[in-house]
């Protein structure tokens, strides 16, 4: 039973050999042999155990059913097989001549190599001469007294029955396929071989066998289809298709919705990643590499990510900002602003609304700040309000909030003249909400009572007009319902304004007289 990861590695390596490296330098057979050696039989540990023993030829693993020598021969590992045979020869002096002949045949076997510059015709001619020599020794009965050596010679001749007798040592049909290719004709194309000899007709092939057979038949689309059915997720088929597409080996054909196969599989895999709580960020990179529909899919999936924490929201926001996804940026900021507002975190809510450039929501939160100020007599989140900068221009109410906080700062620094001008500007520019006018006028009272005259006559008249506009806008019923505190505030303001006006007139008259 092959594990899912081993199966994926097996298929991937074979596809690289058959599809990607098919046009590369070097014989295809050598790469297939390396593939078999890597994935099918691991005899190296067995060899180390045999060779490290005191008498290797007497070791239980040397000539047993799972013969290490046979395994090496079946994998084309002639040097290792000859090395073990030399151990046997040293233990049987009477058979030295027979061992030398077999060793010479194995040594002379022509195999395509990377550094070989001979032509295909020259290679086939050498192989034919070697094959005839092996056939002559077998027919002469050179190995008749040693059944194992005779079996090895038959394998060298490509005898199908002799190879199939070693079925247990190969364990898989694709090992048999490559071994038969090696000893039947090393230049034959793998797609021309019969691949049902090892499987047998009585049982249906396993999914892995179906995939590998499709690969040997160079049916790339069938490989992708079978992998999609057999494997547990889209990871393997998405990456395999991407590799084949980059090598320009897939026929680019549009699917029914307009995308090609590579993009379709990448989209499916990336969509699966977005359902995972921590892998969704990887899905973003996959969508980025889908030119047709990647951005559309990303926009749809990014909106479904649960923004459980502010840290996660910032990650999502950064992804959207990097890709100029303005609608998603606004949506995320609005969601986070609303969450913060529900939790009465006004500073965070205002920060998110500014980031979203949402004037209406910024106005709403500014009103909440002003309401809290009226109830508590102080501002929360002073650092944020003090550093609004150009962001305060997002809405009139936010501008008022920032400027009103600036008034308090100037007053706290005893810069009364500047504070008075700013307060009057807030009244006359009509950016202050009408419900806040009484608060502003009340803030003017300490300035009116200063020893130094802060407001000029013209400014005092402006404040009087604002007070009258405020009181004139109320009906008699409303005036009757006003509590005593409000009535007292109005009377105190009128008195303070009148006294300030008298002081200003005296001061200005004195200045004119002098």
């Amino acid at each position: 039973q092959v594990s899912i990861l081993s199966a994926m590695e097996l298929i991937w390596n074979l596809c690289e050999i058959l599809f990607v490296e098919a046009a590369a330098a070097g014989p295809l057979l050598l790469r297939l042999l390396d593939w078999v050696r890597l994935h099918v039989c691991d005899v190296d540990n067995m060899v180390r155990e045999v060779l490290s023993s005191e008498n290797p030829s007497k070791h239980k693993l040397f000539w047993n059913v799972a013969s290490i020598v046979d395994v090496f021969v079946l994998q084309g590992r002639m040097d290792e097989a000859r090395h073990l045979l030399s151990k046997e020869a040293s233990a049987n002096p009477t058979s030295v001549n027979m061992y030398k002949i077999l060793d010479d045949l194995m040594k002379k076997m022509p195999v395509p190599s990377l550094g070989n510059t001979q032509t295909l015709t020259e290679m086939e001619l050498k192989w034919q001469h070697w094959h005839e020599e092996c056939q002559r020794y077998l027919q002469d009965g050179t190995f008749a007294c040693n059944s194992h050596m005779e079996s090895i010679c038959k394998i060298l001749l490509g005898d199908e029955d002799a190879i199939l007798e070693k079925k247990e040592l190969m364990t898989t049909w694709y090992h048999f396929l490559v071994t038969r290719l090696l000893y039947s004709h090393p230049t034959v194309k793998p797609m021309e071989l019969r691949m049902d000899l090892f499987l047998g007709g009585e049982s249906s092939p396993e999914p892995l066998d179906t995939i590998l057979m499709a690969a040997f038949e160079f049916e790339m689309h069938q490989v992708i289809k079978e992998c999609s059915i057999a494997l547990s997720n889209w990871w393997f088929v998405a990456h395999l298709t991407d590799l084949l597409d980059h090598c320009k080996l897939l026929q680019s054909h549009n699917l029914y919705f307009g995308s090609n196969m590579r993009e379709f599989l990448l989209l499916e895999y990336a969509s699966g990643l977005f359902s995972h709580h921590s892998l969704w960020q990887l899905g973003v990179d996959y969508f980025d590499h889908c030119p047709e529909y990647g951005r559309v899919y990303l926009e749809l999936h990014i909106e479904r990510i649960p923004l459980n924490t502010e840290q996660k929201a910032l990650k999502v926001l950064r992804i959207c900002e990097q890709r100029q996804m303005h609608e998603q940026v606004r949506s995320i900021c609005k969601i986070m602003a609303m969450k913060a507002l529900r939790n009465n975190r006004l500073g965070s809510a205002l920060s998110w609304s500014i980031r979203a450039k949402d004037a209406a929501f910024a106005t709403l939160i500014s009103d909440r700040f002003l309401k809290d100020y009226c109830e508590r007599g102080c501002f929360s989140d002073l650092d944020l309000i003090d550093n609004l900068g150009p962001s305060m221009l997002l809405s009139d109410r936010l501008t008022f909030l920032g400027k009103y906080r600036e008034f308090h700062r100037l007053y706290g620094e005893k810069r009364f003249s500047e504070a008075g001008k700013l307060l009057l500007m807030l009244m006359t520019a009509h950016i202050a909400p009408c419900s806040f006018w009484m608060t502003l006028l009340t803030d003017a009272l300490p300035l009116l009572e200063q020893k130094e005259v802060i407001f000029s006559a013209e400014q005092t008249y402006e404040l009087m007009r604002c007070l009258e506009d405020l009181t004139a806008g109320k009906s008699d019923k409303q005036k009757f319902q006003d509590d005593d505190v409000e009535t007292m505030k109005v009377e105190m303001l009128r008195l303070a304004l009148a006294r300030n006006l008298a002081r200003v007139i005296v001061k200005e008259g004195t200045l004119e007289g002098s």
Side-chain angles (χ1 to χ4, degrees):
Q1 185 69 26
V2 181
S3 69
I4 186 69
L5 291 178
S6 298
M8 288 193 290
E9 185 181 10
L10 184 70
I11 299 166
W12 183 278
N13 291 156
L14 182 61
C15 289
E16 282 185 320
I17 292 169
L18 296 178
F19 304 148
V20 180
E21 301 176 2
L28 177 63
L29 176 61
L30 293 182
R31 295 195 293 273
L32 287 174
L33 284 171
D34 289 338
W35 175 68
V36 167
R37 293 164 188 168
L38 177 64
H39 293 289
V40 177
C41 296
D42 182 15
V43 296
D44 295 316
N45 291 333
M46 296 168 60
V47 171
R48 280 193 290 270
E49 184 180 343
V50 171
L51 295 181
S52 62
S53 64
E54 293 181 2
N55 191 350
S57 63
K58 301 298 182 181
H59 195 281
K60 63 180 181 179
L61 294 175
F62 194 83
W63 290 116
N64 67 352
V65 177
S67 172
I68 299 175
V69 176
D70 286 343
V71 173
F72 282 143
V73 172
L74 291 169
Q75 292 186 5
R77 300 169 67 173
M78 292 304 178
D79 291 339
E80 291 95 326
R82 290 170 56 214
H83 181 63
L84 285 182
L85 281 173
S86 67
K87 299 289 184 182
E88 174 66 13
S90 62
N92 296 278
T94 58
S95 304
V96 170
N97 187 54
M98 186 170 32
Y99 282 111
K100 284 183 178 180
I101 293 173
L102 183 60
D103 180 79
D104 188 56
L105 289 176
M106 295 169 69
K107 181 180 179 181
K108 291 192 301 186
M109 177 182 173
V111 178
S113 60
L114 293 175
N116 202 336
T117 57
Q118 63 186 350
T119 64
L120 183 62
T121 304
E122 291 173 338
M123 169 65 194
E124 289 181 342
L125 187 60
K126 285 184 178 180
W127 187 87
Q128 186 63 36
H129 289 161
W130 173 82
H131 191 271
E132 290 173 357
E133 186 179 0
C134 292
Q135 186 72 40
R136 186 169 59 252
Y137 280 118
L138 186 65
Q139 291 176 350
D140 291 346
T142 304
F143 308 111
C145 62
N146 190 312
S147 59
H148 183 255
M149 288 193 182
E150 186 178 42
S151 173
I152 292 176
C153 187
K154 287 180 179 180
I155 292 173
L156 296 181
L157 284 168
D159 186 296
E160 197 168 283
D161 292 333
I163 296 174
L164 284 174
E165 284 179 4
K166 308 297 180 182
K167 180 184 291 189
E168 291 79 8
L169 299 179
M170 292 182 287
T171 69
T172 62
W173 64 267
Y174 39 91
H175 188 179
F176 163 76
L177 179 68
V178 176
T179 300
R180 187 172 181 272
L181 172 63
L182 174 63
Y183 294 114
S184 296
H185 200 312
T187 58
V188 74
K189 295 180 180 178
M191 68 181 71
E192 296 174 353
L193 294 177
R194 292 169 56 204
M195 289 175 289
D196 57 347
L197 292 173
F198 191 87
L199 286 170
E202 69 278 357
S203 61
S204 58
E206 293 292 326
L208 176 60
D209 298 323
T210 304
I211 295 168
L212 295 177
M213 282 192 288
F216 276 112
E217 292 169 358
F218 288 84
E219 293 287 345
M220 284 179 278
H221 290 90
Q222 189 66 23
V223 170
I224 294 169
K225 177 183 176 181
E226 295 296 336
C227 287
S228 301
I229 296 171
L231 301 178
S232 59
N233 61 53
W234 293 106
W235 180 90
F236 183 79
V237 288
H239 288 81
L240 178 61
T241 307
D242 182 61
L243 173 68
L244 298 176
D245 187 78
H246 280 297
C247 295
K248 303 188 184 305
L249 295 171
L250 283 178
Q251 293 180 350
S252 296
H253 65 282
N254 290 338
L255 303 178
Y256 69 92
F257 55 82
S259 178
N260 59 36
M261 183 179 291
R262 170 194 172 272
E263 182 158 324
F264 168 75
L265 293 172
L266 286 178
L267 291 172
E268 288 298 316
Y269 177 60
S271 298
L273 290 176
F274 261 85
S275 63
H276 195 276
H277 66 92
S278 62
L279 298 179
W280 62 269
Q281 294 178 78
L282 295 176
V284 175
D285 295 328
Y286 283 94
F287 283 140
D288 285 343
H289 287 83
C290 297
E292 190 75 24
Y293 292 101
R295 185 178 179 90
V296 176
Y297 269 66
L298 179 58
E299 289 174 353
L300 292 173
H301 282 84
I302 210 86
E303 293 175 352
R304 299 173 185 171
I305 296 176
L307 305 176
N308 305 322
T309 64
E310 195 159 303
Q311 183 181 10
K312 188 174 182 180
L314 289 171
K315 284 183 181 179
V316 178
L317 191 65
R318 185 162 52 251
I319 289 169
C320 295
E321 288 175 341
Q322 289 170 348
R323 291 157 182 79
Q324 287 80 50
M325 296 165 60
H326 304 300
E327 286 299 321
Q328 285 69 30
V329 168
R330 282 192 288 271
S331 175
I332 292 166
C333 292
K334 286 181 181 179
I335 291 171
M336 296 306 296
M338 188 61 72
K339 282 186 176 182
L341 186 61
R342 281 198 296 265
N343 293 324
N344 205 34
R345 295 168 55 230
L346 297 183
S348 178
L350 181 58
S351 178
W352 283 109
S353 65
I354 291 172
R355 197 160 187 173
K357 295 182 173 57
D358 189 336
F361 205 73
T363 298
L364 174 67
I365 299 171
S366 298
D367 283 335
R368 284 287 300 271
F369 267 105
L370 295 173
K371 180 181 177 183
D372 276 10
Y373 172 79
C374 292
E375 293 175 353
R376 297 162 50 191
C378 63
F379 283 112
S380 60
D381 300 285
L382 288 181
D383 287 342
L384 175 64
I385 300 174
D386 285 341
N387 294 283
L388 285 174
S391 300
M392 71 171 63
L393 301 177
L394 182 62
S395 75
D396 288 346
R397 197 60 46 81
L398 186 57
T399 303
F400 171 75
L401 176 64
K403 291 296 182 181
Y404 185 57
R405 165 57 192 158
E406 185 181 347
F407 160 76
H408 278 275
R409 183 173 56 80
L410 292 172
Y411 186 87
E413 295 172 358
K414 301 188 183 303
R415 296 159 64 181
F416 300 127
S417 180
E418 295 176 56
K421 290 178 181 178
L422 181 56
L423 184 66
L424 188 63
M425 183 274 291
L426 293 175
M427 294 288 294
T428 56
H430 300 289
I431 62 172
C434 295
S435 60
F436 212 75
W437 277 24
M438 179 55 73
T439 303
L440 293 176
L441 288 167
T442 305
D443 287 334
L445 270 175
L447 297 175
L448 292 169
E449 298 296 335
Q450 292 292 323
K451 292 182 178 180
E452 179 187 355
V453 176
I454 304 299
F455 297 105
S456 65
E458 182 180 354
Q459 292 173 330
T460 306
Y461 283 126
E462 285 290 340
L463 289 172
M464 287 179 170
R465 182 181 61 79
C466 291
L467 179 60
E468 293 307 315
D469 288 346
L470 178 63
T471 55
K474 296 182 179 181
S475 62
D476 291 338
K477 184 177 181 181
Q478 284 177 315
K479 290 179 181 179
F480 181 75
Q481 290 176 343
D482 282 344
D483 56 24
D484 294 339
V485 175
E486 288 293 311
T487 304
M488 184 179 299
K489 284 183 181 179
V490 172
E491 294 302 324
M492 289 176 62
L493 281 167
R494 284 176 175 161
L495 178 60
L497 288 167
R499 290 167 57 184
N500 186 76
L501 183 60
R503 292 166 60 196
V504 171
I505 292 173
V506 170
K507 180 180 179 182
E508 291 179 355
T510 304
L511 291 173
E512 289 176 4
S514 61

